[in-house]
């Protein structure tokens, strides 16, 4: 069976981009692939976190994976920090990654600019830990949004370099990026991607926002001044809303343009808000329900953590042997 790995940071409530660009697509792989979906709490501490908050958010994220439709019997849903092999492989891969490569990562450059007071070594080697995540599970594909493409290219380079030296150890992963939804833009600055850490609360729709909040934020969304609902490069705000609407409603871009021909932005924004709220409502209800069942979630954390550990250790032992670490007696 082929395998697949993906993960998300537990640094805040998921926003609509996380859902449309990644999580929504994850549910379709469970029969064809051995799937590993991780809560990457080790990546989260590259920026300062409140410990109690981080613990809470990590658990909420894991619960949200299930609420969004991932069956924990068919998908291995677990915490990165519960599987030490991530850190162990990451160290080894650090020794096969160049400073120059890491300096070119755009996410690093953005984060370093934003957190100038705390440019720590973990922030710099963040992509190496990500490579370890992916390569530990011999992943064939990695379903992500557009912003993770550069990291996956680096992962491929590291894997190729290692294989050239030691033989076929790692599967070379392919990014899996859907055309629609791969880059959802901010509602307030539609030339910038939607992000959990945006200071303006109106810029992002959060997965647990209630219907009124969702509609209010869409009503306030920044658009251009002509009043035509048309998907076009020079209309980033409206194009973003059209894209969101097509996914939430299941209609095509052409159908959407036709549906709102001659209608105003106000009416369209209302329709987008309602469609998104309707799409998220069942996930929110299920999240509520699951959050109450502590024993059920605990048991998933335990069982899946052990399963991930088993798979990860197989790759790790192979790698340790290749680089020349002494055998275990
Ligand atoms: P993170 O937590 O920032 O985002 C999680 C997923 O959501 C996607 N995404 C978006 N998609 C569309 N539009 C947006 N505006 C948008 N914002 C975020 C991301 O592309 C991602 O798929 N480094 C990763 C986490 C990670 C990982 C991994 C992912 C750690 N190890 C191994 C894949 C494989 C991150 O910070 O994602």
């Amino acid at each position: 069976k082929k395998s697949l790995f993906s993960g998300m940071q537990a640094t805040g409530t998921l926003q609509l981009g996380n859902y449309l660009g990644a999580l929504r697509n994850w549910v379709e792989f469970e029969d064809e692939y051995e799937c590993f979906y991780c809560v990457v709490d080790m990546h989260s501490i590259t920026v300062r976190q409140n410990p109690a908050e981080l613990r809470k958010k990590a658990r909420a994220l894991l619960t949200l994976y299930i609420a969004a439709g991932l069956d924990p019997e068919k998908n291995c849903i677990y915490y990165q920090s519960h599987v030490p092999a991530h850190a162990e492989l990451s160290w080894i891969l650090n020794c096969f990654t160049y400073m120059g490569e890491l300096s070119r990562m755009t996410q690093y450059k953005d984060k370093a600019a934003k957190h100038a007071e705390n440019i720590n070594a973990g922030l710099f080697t963040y992509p190496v830990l990500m490579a370890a995540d992916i390569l530990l599970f011999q992943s064939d594909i990695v379903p992500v949004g557009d912003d993770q493409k550069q990291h996956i290219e680096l992962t491929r380079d590291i894997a190729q370099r290692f294989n050239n030296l030691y033989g076929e150890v790692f599967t070379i992963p392919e990014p899996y990026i859907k055309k629609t939804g791969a880059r959802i833009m901010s509602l307030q600055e539609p030339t910038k991607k939607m992000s959990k850490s945006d200071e303006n609360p109106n810029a992002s729709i959060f997965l647990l926002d209630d219907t009124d909040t969702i509609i209010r934020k869409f009503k306030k969304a920044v658009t251009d001044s002509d009043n035509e609902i048309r998907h076009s490069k020079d209309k980033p705000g409206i194009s973003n809303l059209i894209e969101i609407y097509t996914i939430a409603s299941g209609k095509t871009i052409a159908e959407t343009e036709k549906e709102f021909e001659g209608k105003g932005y106000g009416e369209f924004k209302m329709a987008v808000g309602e469609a998104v709220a309707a799409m998220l409502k069942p996930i929110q209800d299920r999240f509520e329900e699951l959050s109450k069942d502590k024993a059920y979630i605990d048991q998933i954390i335990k069982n899946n953590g052990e399963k991930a550990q088993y798979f990860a250790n197989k790759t790790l032992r192979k790698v340790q042997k290749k680089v020349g670490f002494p055998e275990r007696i």
Side-chain angles (χ1 to χ4, degrees), residues 55-239:
R55 216 180 328 271
K56 221 170 94 190
K57 284 175 183 163
R59 189 166 173 110
L61 180 55
L62 188 132
T63 307
L64 206 46
Y65 281 0
I66 304 167
L70 292 177
D71 177 350
E73 298 293 328
K74 291 185 172 174
N75 300 276
C76 188
I77 298 168
Y78 72 101
Y79 294 131
Q80 189 182 33
S81 62
H82 285 191
V83 179
H86 286 270
E88 296 177 75
L89 182 61
S90 182
W91 171 256
I92 296 174
L93 297 181
N94 264 324
C95 305
F96 294 86
T97 308
Y98 299 113
M99 304 282 284
E101 289 176 307
L102 294 175
S103 321
R104 283 193 291 276
M105 294 292 115
T106 53
Q107 187 166 308
Y108 167 70
K109 288 193 268 187
D110 290 349
K111 284 200 181 165
K114 215 169 140 198
H115 301 278
E117 75 298 341
N118 181 22
I119 307 178
N120 60 70
L123 197 64
F124 190 64
T125 59
Y126 179 112
V128 183
L129 178 57
M130 194 166 149
D133 298 342
I134 295 169
L135 299 178
L136 266 180
F137 296 95
Q138 305 289 355
S139 314
D140 294 278
I141 59 167
V142 186
V144 285
D146 185 65
D147 61 344
Q148 296 302 318
K149 207 170 154 190
Q150 194 187 31
H151 287 158
I152 297 171
E153 273 158 19
L154 176 67
T155 301
R156 290 168 57 88
D157 290 344
I158 298 170
Q160 203 80 65
R161 183 172 304 147
F162 197 92
N163 284 357
N164 286 342
L165 285 165
Y166 300 106
E168 295 303 305
V169 179
F170 295 125
T171 303
I172 310 296
E174 293 277 352
Y176 177 98
I177 301 171
K178 277 241 165 115
K179 219 170 155 196
T180 324
R183 198 170 172 81
I184 298 298
M185 309 311 272
S186 151
L187 298 185
Q188 290 299 313
E189 281 175 79
T191 48
K192 204 175 95 175
K193 70 169 182 181
M194 191 180 282
S195 152
K196 291 181 261 218
S197 52
D198 204 308
E199 284 110 45
N200 184 343
N202 290 323
S204 316
I205 300 291
F206 296 105
L207 249 56
L208 300 178
D209 279 349
D210 61 32
T211 299
D212 290 348
T213 308
I214 293 173
I215 291 174
R216 183 173 45 77
K217 286 181 181 176
F218 275 111
K219 276 191 184 157
K220 284 193 185 149
V222 169
T223 44
D224 51 67
S225 57
D226 85 314
N227 214 13
E228 201 187 343
I229 291 133
R230 179 169 51 85
H231 194 279
S232 151
K233 272 209 171 62
D234 56 339
K235 291 166 74 72
I238 281 295
S239 297

